[in-house]
């Protein structure tokens, strides 16, 4: 069944289904993180070999972002999304019955590639809803965030009570339900790009040169996502050591605090729709700075860390939602290519943040990590508040 768009708007049901689908899809990138030890024991391999699963999934996701997302401007987005989700369903079934670690490695890369459907749903929604783009993107992005943050909790509990294989089996079932719902409710949009695939990739890189706002938004979000990854990568080490000595289940509870923060994303989406994105970004990044100051000066307080988690998550996600709403207003016919540039930069920022965060932890512990995160955030804050020309100021609203 094909639903055609009308009045440049999406219904609440469509937005809800798109948000759920995005969260269910992107969660597959993160399911493996809490169950790597279980997989290692299952196949009798080392922790390092099992740890490669997480890396390979991220590599696949990065490849999908660059090579598949631009196709959303050439191929019917609905058909592309359903095709990728169908492939993801088959891959998850394969992972459920995998026989050795090599199969798991290959399937991990493929699963990472197929999970980019969520990054095609976002520009699809933005290209349809031109009036309340920020609010719509915020709602769908909330679904993505809940999927990212809840994936670790879900897979950990399923693996503890059943087996790590059931994590992928249950995920395959959820993907199947999502395929049915999207086939019924997802609207179809006609695309304008008629060139060849290589021309499409070349055009994708051209978007970075074409829009200064895209360069600015990508850099700001890349820096903030780097902070986010530095924080969560090292927080486990911080909380598992003195004076906390928390177990993994207790540390996991901080993920629920982050999910609560993710629910604030639509609020900042509405602010972006009102036209003053700089105000929204200034507030958001100020919240990140406040969270890091709290995490630094009250590093031995479990309650203070929880407050820092909440403020950090709200600030980072608000920055993301605001910037996504901004870039999707540049050229509706190029949204997928614009999103490719943005998400590639975002992904690189996260990878750099993770690597530098681990390096700082090894060199100077939590104190040095918080300084590193404050440095990244200060650069982002300067980019936002720096004086702009009149043309740029209008363009950046």
């Amino acid at each position: 069944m094909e639903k055609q768009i009308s009045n440049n708007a999406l219904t609440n049901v469509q937005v809800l289904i798109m948000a759920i689908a995005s969260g269910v899809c992107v969660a597959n990138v993160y399911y493996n993180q809490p169950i790597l030890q279980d997989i290692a024991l299952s196949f009798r391999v080392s922790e390092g070999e099992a740890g490669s699963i997480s890396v390979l999934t991220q590599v696949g996701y990065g490849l999908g972002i660059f090579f598949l997302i631009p196709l959303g401007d050439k191929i019917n987005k609905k058909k592309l999304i359903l095709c990728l989700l169908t492939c993801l369903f088959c891959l998850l079934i394969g992972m459920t019955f995998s026989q050795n670690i090599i199969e798991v490695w290959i399937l991990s890369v493929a699963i990472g590639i197929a999970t980019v459907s969520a990054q095609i749903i976002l520009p699809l929604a933005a290209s349809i809803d031109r009036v309340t783009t920020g609010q719509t993107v915020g709602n769908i992005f909330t679904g993505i965030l809940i999927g990212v943050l809840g994936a670790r909790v879900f897979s950990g509990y399923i693996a503890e009570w059943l087996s790590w294989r059931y994590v992928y089996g249950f995920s395959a079932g959820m993907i199947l339900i999502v395929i049915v719902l999207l086939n019924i409710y997802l609207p179809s949009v006609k695309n304008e790009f008629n060139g060849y695939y290589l021309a499409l990739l070349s055009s994708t890189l051209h978007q970075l040169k074409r829009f200064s706002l895209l360069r600015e938004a990508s850099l700001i979000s890349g820096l903030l996502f780097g902070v986010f990854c530095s924080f969560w990568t090292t927080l486990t080490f911080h909380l598992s050591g003195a004076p906390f000595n928390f177990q993994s289940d207790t540390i996991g509870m901080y993920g629920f605090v982050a999910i609560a923060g993710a629910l604030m994303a639509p609020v900042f989406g509405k602010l972006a729709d009102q036209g003053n994105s700089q105000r929204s970004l200034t507030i958001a990044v100020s919240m990140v700075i406040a969270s890091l100051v709290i995490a630094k000066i009250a590093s031995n307080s479990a309650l203070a860390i929880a407050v820092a988690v909440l403020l950090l998550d709200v600030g980072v996600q608000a920055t993301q939602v605001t910037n996504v709403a901004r870039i999707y207003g540049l050229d509706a016919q190029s949204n997928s290519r614009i999103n490719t540039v943005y998400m590639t930069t975002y992904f690189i920022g996260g990878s750099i943040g993770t690597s530098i965060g681990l390096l700082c932890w090894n060199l100077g512990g939590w104190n040095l990590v918080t300084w590193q995160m404050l440095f990244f955030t200060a650069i982002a804050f300067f980019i936002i508040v720096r004086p702009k020309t009149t043309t740029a100021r209008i363009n950046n609203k």
Side-chain angles (χ1 to χ4, degrees):
M1 181 185 299
E2 296 283 334
K3 284 210 176 274
Q4 300 296 326
I5 58 174
S6 61
N7 300 323
N8 290 328
L10 290 167
T11 67
N12 291 334
V13 172
Q14 286 175 316
V15 173
L16 177 61
I17 290 173
M18 293 168 87
I20 293 172
S22 298
V24 168
C25 182
V26 79
N28 288 280
V29 178
Y30 303 94
Y31 281 144
N32 58 59
Q33 293 180 358
I35 59 177
L36 294 175
Q37 183 64 33
D38 294 329
I39 296 176
L41 293 174
S42 177
F43 292 118
R44 295 184 175 86
V45 297
S46 68
E47 292 181 353
E49 289 175 304
S52 298
I53 297 169
S54 181
V55 176
L56 291 170
T57 306
Q58 294 282 354
V59 168
Y61 190 64
L63 292 172
I65 285 175
F66 188 79
F67 290 104
L68 292 183
I69 292 180
L71 287 172
D73 287 336
K74 179 176 174 60
I75 301 174
N76 182 288
K77 288 184 178 68
K78 178 175 181 176
K79 292 180 179 178
L80 179 59
I81 291 166
L82 291 175
C83 179
L84 287 172
L85 288 175
T86 301
C87 291
L88 180 57
F89 170 79
C90 296
L91 293 167
L92 291 170
I93 294 297
M95 183 70 89
T96 304
F97 297 101
S98 56
Q99 298 299 309
N100 55 66
I101 193 64
I102 295 178
E103 286 185 20
V104 172
W105 287 341
I106 295 172
L107 288 167
S108 294
V109 176
I111 286 173
I113 293 173
T115 53
V116 298
S117 300
Q119 298 303 331
I120 301 172
I121 291 175
L122 269 174
L124 170 61
S127 65
I128 297 172
D129 198 333
R130 309 286 180 81
V131 179
T132 57
T133 304
Q135 184 177 351
T136 298
V137 167
N139 286 326
I140 295 174
F141 197 70
T142 296
I144 293 177
L145 296 176
I146 292 175
V148 170
L149 297 169
R152 301 173 181 88
V153 178
F154 172 81
S155 63
Y157 276 103
I158 294 297
E160 181 178 349
W161 288 101
L162 297 171
S163 162
W164 67 267
R165 295 182 183 275
Y166 280 87
V167 173
Y168 294 99
F170 283 135
S171 180
M174 289 188 288
I175 291 296
L176 185 59
I177 294 172
V178 162
I179 290 173
V180 174
L181 290 174
L182 290 179
N183 187 52
I184 297 173
Y185 290 99
L186 197 65
S188 291
V189 179
K190 182 180 179 181
N191 294 321
E192 300 295 333
F193 188 90
N194 296 314
Y196 293 106
Y197 177 68
L198 290 179
L200 183 69
L201 291 182
S202 177
S203 177
T204 298
L205 296 175
H206 177 66
Q207 305 306 315
L208 191 60
K209 179 181 178 181
R210 184 182 176 196
F211 297 112
S212 62
L213 189 152
L214 176 59
R215 296 194 296 271
E216 176 186 299
S218 299
L219 182 56
I220 292 171
S221 288
L223 286 166
L224 267 294
F225 190 55
V227 171
F228 182 85
C229 291
S230 294
F231 185 90
W232 282 101
T233 300
T234 56
L235 181 65
T236 299
F237 302 140
H238 181 56
L239 294 177
S240 60
F244 304 105
N245 299 312
F246 288 159
Q247 298 298 316
S248 57
D249 56 345
T250 304
I251 296 174
M253 296 300 292
Y254 282 85
F256 287 108
V257 178
I259 291 175
L263 298 177
M264 291 292 294
V267 175
F268 284 86
K270 290 180 181 179
L271 285 178
D273 288 331
Q274 293 172 4
N276 196 335
S277 58
Q278 184 171 7
R279 180 181 63 180
S280 178
L281 288 171
T282 303
I283 294 172
V285 177
S286 297
M287 293 177 72
V288 176
I289 293 173
S291 74
L292 296 175
V293 170
I294 292 172
K296 172 175 280 294
I297 65 178
S299 60
N300 293 332
S301 168
L303 178 59
I305 294 297
V307 172
V309 166
L310 180 62
L311 289 174
L312 178 87
D313 197 69
V314 172
V316 171
Q317 310 317 336
T319 302
Q320 169 77 332
V321 170
T322 302
N323 276 329
V324 167
R326 295 166 76 201
I327 64 172
Y328 285 163
L330 293 173
D331 181 2
Q333 300 302 325
S334 303
N335 270 348
S336 289
R337 283 165 286 171
I338 288 171
N339 192 49
T340 297
V341 172
Y342 179 80
M343 289 307 303
T344 299
T345 308
Y346 187 74
F347 188 79
I348 291 172
S351 300
I352 293 173
T354 298
S355 301
I356 295 181
L358 287 171
L359 177 63
C360 290
W361 175 265
N362 291 328
L363 293 176
W366 186 249
N367 183 56
L368 186 57
V369 171
T370 50
W371 278 122
Q372 170 254 317
M373 292 188 291
L374 282 168
F375 178 69
F376 275 33
T377 309
I379 296 175
F381 189 81
F382 172 76
I383 294 172
I384 294 168
V385 301
R386 79 188 193 285
K388 299 179 176 66
T389 63
T390 302
T391 302
R393 192 177 299 114
I394 294 172
N395 190 35
N396 287 341
K397 283 188 177 182

